[in-house]
Amino acid sequence: MKKILFLLVFGLLCVIPAQSSEPSIWSINSREDVLRGNANGVGIDDNGSITLAVKLTELFKTDQPYVWASATDNMGNIYLGTGGDGRVYKVSPTGSGSLFFDSDEINVSAITVGKDGTVFAGTSPDGKVYRIPPGEKPSVYFEPKEKYIWSLALLPDGSLAVGTGENGKIYKVKTPLEKPGAALFYDTSETHIISMASDKNGNLFAGTDSEGYVLRFSSDGRPFALLDSPLREIHEIAVGIDGSVYVLALGESASTKEKKAEENKPDQKTVSAVKRGLPAAAPPQKSRYDLSSAKSAVYRILPDGGNDIIWKSEEITAFSVYAHLTGNGVLIGTSDKGRIYSVRNSGEVKLVLQTGEEQVSTISTFGGSLFATSSNQGKLFRFGGQPESGGTFESPVLDAKSVASWGMIWWRSKGNVQIQTRSGNTAVPNETWTDWSDSYGDQKGARVKSPKAQYLQWRAILATSATEAELSEVNVSFLSRNIPPEVLSIEILPSNIGLAPTPPVPVDPNIIALGLDPKDFGIVIPPLVPRKVFQSGAKSLQWKSEDRNGDELRYAIYYREVSQSVFRLLRENLTDSFFTIDSRTLADGRYVVKIVADDGVSNPGDAALSGERISEPFDIDNTPPAASATGAPRVNGDSVTVSFEVIETSSLITRAEYSINGGDWKAVRADDGISDSAKEQYTITVTLKGAGDFTIALRVFDSTGNTGNARTHVKK
């Protein structure tokens, strides 16, 4: 965002692995995939094809970090408004440039040129508008006592419209003698008037922050809202040749300028990979009218008032928009590696070129030439016309997850296209990587020459020839080094909880036999979560495992008592990551289990690997507590006291309760105040009214869920 940036100045590619014994295939063949690479002198079509870009020439380099605004006079001279020393540079059509004006402010944030060559420059903060006629000294033309001058527009009647912030006012200045109050044209309810443009009919268009309005003011000064965008800032407005108004809107996410410090680092969301020759499913796409998470978007407002969204991005922040003289779309300058995109009214997108700068701030034209300015550093470029004589494209970086053996590389191209590779073991290519290989000769398939490593990158070199150079697809097969599976955790469930498998989702066996992905057929297989059921004597365990190669795993369970040293096999060749033991088949004691995960199903012979984990100790206790009455009941009128002793041999007593004559069970505390040991005493005093025979029963529980009982009879 222009406003926020000023304030800041004062901001593996996801390869679906095949089984370890089978090669994975990394394929780059779509626009989304290709755009994550680096383009130098090449462009990218809407279908992802790489071709030579239009020629890009650096005309002038300022000594300023930012170019905020640009304008061209009738002679083709280009004026650059910069920050952070608040300077204006004048660059001739041949690229000869010099300092034109040095203001006292930090930024020249808006600039426009009149028909007579007079330059108007708006500054921020402590906003002023300077007037610089040809051959004369600069002077303060208008000082509205506003903090920011964001935008300027010359109107057909010769007046100058001035858009300001932080009070969201528009001024219309006819003479330099007018006072700010008299020059006030419209006081909006917005915070900033970020952008303005006028058309041949005398309409003034204004874009606001922070509600994202586009306002139209007719010649009589009446406002009308053409657009209420869900994105907060209308950053730039361009009027098309057919009267359409193109609007660049920025979202909240643009308020913090993010610099990509490691552009070549493997991207976990990018390139489509294939398994056994089948393309991976593409990520779900949102409608371009869904701006819920958009960083920027371009609207086309039609002359009849209707509007379409012709482009949006959830990843790219755009900073400039230029309306094609053909009337069919716009050029968009972005912070995405300083790229310029061409977007047609139908939504078709093409990468025109990549400047390599931090952002493209403005795009303009004069005499059939197109010009772009960049920020950090502030530069002026000319582009268009003939294509480059040569260019290169560097792919995103493939992360094979482990050191991999590279197989074949093959591609689809025409014309003069060469392919090279390099490899390394750091996520970002640096001096530790190998040099680029010699070019591969046969696009139908050649063995990759780069040595084994975890990461791989390819480069395409395009050059002019009789046939236009074009690259549409590159594929690389590779076999990752097998990594042992890991058992990450083991959970032992409380006693008497059994685990039962969830009924599987039915899948045609032919799909499985052919190695197809059920998701391609609309079959969603949820993660396998077992059902918990009551099962007397059950001791259940479940575990989590991971295999970095995506191999199919089999499990074996071993057990031993804590006092022993040798594990015994309990069960093997399990496919589920859970198991229920009938604890009644084991002697009482303290045990541990060992889970061994093996990837032998996916790896032949001695290539198979395994990983294991030992559980925390747990108790097997099938013997109930032994409870008995101690001594005769003590009767004192209606009050009766009885005593019990409880002994547990394998675990701990946890609670007790009593019942009279088969009535409800009521809790009773141990004589020492808490049931928590292997031996407890319980004294129960109750009131028994009337004569007769009474039975007082005690029921006790141990920590593994076993119960013991005792009773005593009272006659009174």
Side-chain angles (χ1 to χ4, degrees), residues 448-677:
V448 174
K449 302 173 185 178
S450 300
K452 293 181 180 179
Q454 181 173 343
Y455 302 98
L456 182 75
Q457 187 180 35
W458 57 260
R459 176 173 72 177
I461 303 174
L462 285 70
T464 55
S465 62
T467 303
E468 180 184 7
E470 180 179 339
L471 176 66
S472 57
E473 180 178 347
V474 177
N475 304 280
V476 178
S477 65
F478 65 96
L479 185 64
S480 298
R481 171 182 169 270
N482 193 19
I483 298 176
E486 297 178 272
V487 180
L488 303 177
S489 64
I490 302 174
E491 180 185 6
I492 308 297
L493 274 62
S495 299
N496 302 315
I497 297 177
L499 294 176
T502 302
V505 176
V507 179
D508 187 330
N510 292 311
I511 294 177
I512 304 301
L514 292 174
L516 303 177
D517 190 338
K519 288 187 293 186
D520 293 338
F521 296 86
I523 302 171
V524 179
I525 301 178
L528 183 60
V529 178
R531 294 178 294 119
K532 295 180 179 180
V533 296
F534 173 78
Q535 183 176 331
S536 179
K539 177 60 70 173
S540 296
L541 47 142
Q542 54 187 1
W543 56 92
K544 294 181 180 179
S545 62
E546 180 180 291
D547 187 274
R548 294 277 290 175
N549 303 107
D551 293 334
E552 185 177 348
L553 299 179
R554 293 288 186 271
Y555 304 101
I557 304 175
Y558 297 83
Y559 74 98
R560 65 172 172 83
E561 289 193 65
V562 171
S563 59
Q564 297 175 336
S565 58
V566 179
F567 279 97
R568 300 176 184 177
L569 178 64
L570 177 64
R571 194 64 56 89
E572 61 182 345
N573 291 324
L574 295 172
T575 57
D576 296 332
S577 57
F578 60 88
F579 188 75
T580 298
I581 303 170
D582 185 350
S583 66
R584 292 169 296 192
T585 63
L586 300 175
D588 289 0
R590 194 159 179 78
Y591 289 81
V592 292
V593 295
K594 178 173 66 175
I595 307 296
V596 178
D598 184 275
D599 64 8
V601 174
S602 301
N603 295 274
D606 57 4
L609 297 173
S610 63
E612 61 184 46
R613 178 177 286 272
I614 297 174
S615 73
E616 297 293 330
F618 61 92
D619 293 316
I620 294 292
D621 177 15
N622 293 307
T623 304
S628 60
T630 58
R634 299 182 293 280
V635 180
N636 183 10
D638 288 342
S639 178
V640 176
T641 301
V642 295
S643 297
F644 295 90
E645 181 181 72
V646 181
I647 298 175
E648 167 60 35
T649 58
S650 299
S651 57
L652 301 177
I653 300 164
T654 57
R655 62 188 178 96
E657 51 193 21
Y658 72 92
S659 172
I660 301 174
N661 288 344
D664 294 338
W665 292 99
K666 299 179 181 180
V668 58
R669 289 184 177 180
D671 289 356
D672 62 4
I674 184 171
S675 299
D676 62 353
S677 62

Side-chain angles (χ1 to χ4, degrees), residues 1 248 250 253-254 256 258 295-296 311 313 315-319 332-336 359:
M1 297 169 70
L248 170 59
L250 304 186
S253 57
T256 300
E258 299 175 357
K295 281 190 173 183
S296 39
W311 178 85
S313 177
E315 300 176 351
I316 298 172
T317 300
F319 283 94
I332 301 172
T334 73
S335 63
D336 176 29
Q359 73 182 49

Side-chain angles (χ1 to χ4, degrees), residues 35 81 108 133 164 175 184 229-230 277 334 344-345 426 448 462 612 621 676 687:
L35 285 176
V108 175
T164 69
T175 74
L184 180 62
S229 173
T334 73
R344 294 186 179 275
N345 292 336
T426 60
V448 174
L462 285 70
E612 61 184 46
D621 177 15
D676 62 353
T687 298

Side-chain angles (χ1 to χ4, degrees), residues 71-356:
T72 306
D73 65 17
N74 291 332
M75 303 298 293
N77 298 302
I78 302 171
Y79 299 86
L80 309 178
T82 68
D85 293 326
R87 296 174 177 175
V88 176
Y89 292 85
K90 179 181 179 180
V91 185
S92 72
T94 61
S96 175
S98 61
L99 179 64
F100 180 70
F101 169 57
D102 190 355
S103 74
D104 294 331
E105 285 71 51
I106 295 175
N107 298 288
V108 175
S109 45
I111 195 165
T112 190
V113 182
K115 293 180 180 180
D116 63 352
T118 298
V119 176
F120 297 92
T123 64
S124 298
D126 301 323
K128 299 176 184 177
V129 178
Y130 290 87
R131 180 175 178 267
I132 315 168
E136 297 184 22
K137 292 183 178 181
S139 61
V140 176
Y141 180 68
F142 181 60
E143 189 172 1
K145 306 300 181 182
E146 302 284 351
K147 189 169 185 179
Y148 302 105
I149 305 295
W150 292 125
S151 50
L152 300 173
L154 283 166
L155 302 178
D157 64 1
S159 61
L160 178 71
V162 181
T164 69
E166 301 171 311
N167 297 309
K169 294 178 180 178
I170 301 174
Y171 294 88
K172 189 174 180 181
V173 185
K174 293 184 179 180
T175 74
L177 302 177
E178 273 192 314
K179 296 181 179 179
L184 180 62
F185 176 64
Y186 192 76
D187 186 356
T188 72
S189 59
E190 289 290 87
T191 307
H192 302 276
I193 306 299
I194 295 293
S195 55
M196 290 193 302
S198 62
D199 66 11
K200 60 185 179 182
N201 297 319
N203 295 307
L204 174 67
F205 303 94
T208 74
D209 176 290
S210 60
E211 293 298 329
Y213 295 151
V214 175
L215 305 177
R216 182 186 65 200
F217 297 89
S218 56
S219 56
D220 61 3
R222 292 180 58 85
F224 181 76
L226 291 175
L227 178 69
D228 179 3
S229 173
L231 304 185
R232 65 168 292 168
E233 178 183 301
I234 304 302
H235 189 75
E236 191 164 358
I237 298 173
V239 179
I241 194 170
D242 65 345
S244 296
V245 177
Y246 295 93
V247 174
L248 170 59
L250 304 186
E252 292 285 354
S253 57
S255 62
T256 300
K257 187 169 182 295
E258 299 175 357
K259 181 177 180 181
K260 299 180 181 177
E262 298 179 345
E263 289 182 338
N264 288 320
K265 191 169 183 178
D267 186 342
Q268 299 295 328
K269 299 182 293 183
T270 58
V271 177
S272 66
V274 294
K275 180 178 180 179
R276 299 179 185 143
L278 299 174
Q285 299 295 317
K286 294 181 179 178
S287 164
R288 66 171 178 258
Y289 289 91
D290 181 356
L291 300 180
S292 56
S293 55
K295 281 190 173 183
S296 39
V298 174
Y299 294 83
R300 180 192 181 200
I301 303 177
L302 301 171
D304 64 3
N307 67 79
D308 298 317
I309 297 175
I310 63 172
W311 178 85
K312 71 140 187 189
S313 177
E314 297 180 357
E315 300 176 351
I316 298 172
T317 300
F319 283 94
S320 51
V321 63
Y322 162 81
H324 281 304
L325 295 181
T326 62
N328 188 8
V330 293
L331 295 176
I332 301 172
T334 73
S335 63
D336 176 29
K337 304 175 185 176
R339 289 175 167 177
I340 297 176
Y341 294 87
S342 176
V343 181
R344 294 186 179 275
N345 292 336
S346 60
E348 180 183 338
V349 181
K350 177 182 178 179
L351 172 62
V352 175
L353 57 85
Q354 177 177 312
T355 67

